[in-house]
Amino acid sequence: MSKYFNKIGFGFNVMPLQVALRRQPGLFGKYKDRCTGESPHRESDDIWVRYNEYANVQSADVPLNAEHPANGPHRPVWYPAYYQLPQLREIVFNLMTMVEGEELGTILLVKLEPGQQIYPHTDAGWSAEYYEKYFIPIQTAPGATFNFPDGAIYPELGCAYWFNNSILHSYTNNTNEDDIMLIITIRSDKVRGA
């Protein structure tokens, strides 16, 4: 068993969201700030569902990484995609219930085209320390892997995974289909001294 990731649930109905995304492909790539230059995400396209206000992202003329002011302490807001993709709500709030979430953070939909990857990286900064990170595959096929030092997640539709994003990780889409991941950050109470 991995120290850095764990399958925590199954049975999430992702098909309605998958269909909605096919009907609205223009939602991907509207905000490219995470996916430019030498970013490890440069081969992916995002849909921002919940994040810091976009004015805060634009306020600094530096790459959107852990040191960017928008990734400091903040209260995330809903982006228009949340209202354009109501199929997200059941998935997000069922996960919140499952992990006994107390606070909802960032929500991103990330698309990788065939043969593309998210390069090895670690996530740092306030958000990475404050929230825990979860991954739900929305569209995937055999050949996609979410890689960690002690193993890999072979994504299964309808499953939810916790992962430690402070550890080196990467994602490869060695399939003939677009791969779409739902990334959700949630803060849950931790038992002190456990």
Side-chain angles (χ1 to χ4, degrees), residues 6-85:
N6 190 26
K7 185 193 298 187
I8 62 166
F10 59 92
F12 287 85
N13 184 10
V14 299
M15 297 312 290
L17 179 56
Q18 193 180 108
V19 170
L21 290 168
R22 281 198 195 121
R23 290 181 178 153
Q24 301 179 78
L27 293 177
F28 282 103
K30 183 172 181 181
Y31 304 98
K32 294 190 168 287
D33 304 74
R34 279 182 5 109
C35 306
T36 59
E38 292 302 309
S39 165
H41 306 279
R42 61 190 173 268
E43 294 182 3
S44 66
D45 281 315
D46 291 343
I47 297 174
W48 293 11
V49 178
R50 186 173 168 87
Y51 194 59
N52 198 338
E53 289 189 51
Y54 195 60
N56 295 332
V57 174
Q58 293 181 307
S59 67
D61 191 24
V62 296
L64 186 58
N65 57 27
E67 291 80 37
H68 191 287
N71 283 323
H74 66 276
R75 169 158 266 139
V77 299
W78 295 111
Y79 277 66
Y82 177 72
Y83 305 101
Q84 295 165 298
L85 297 168

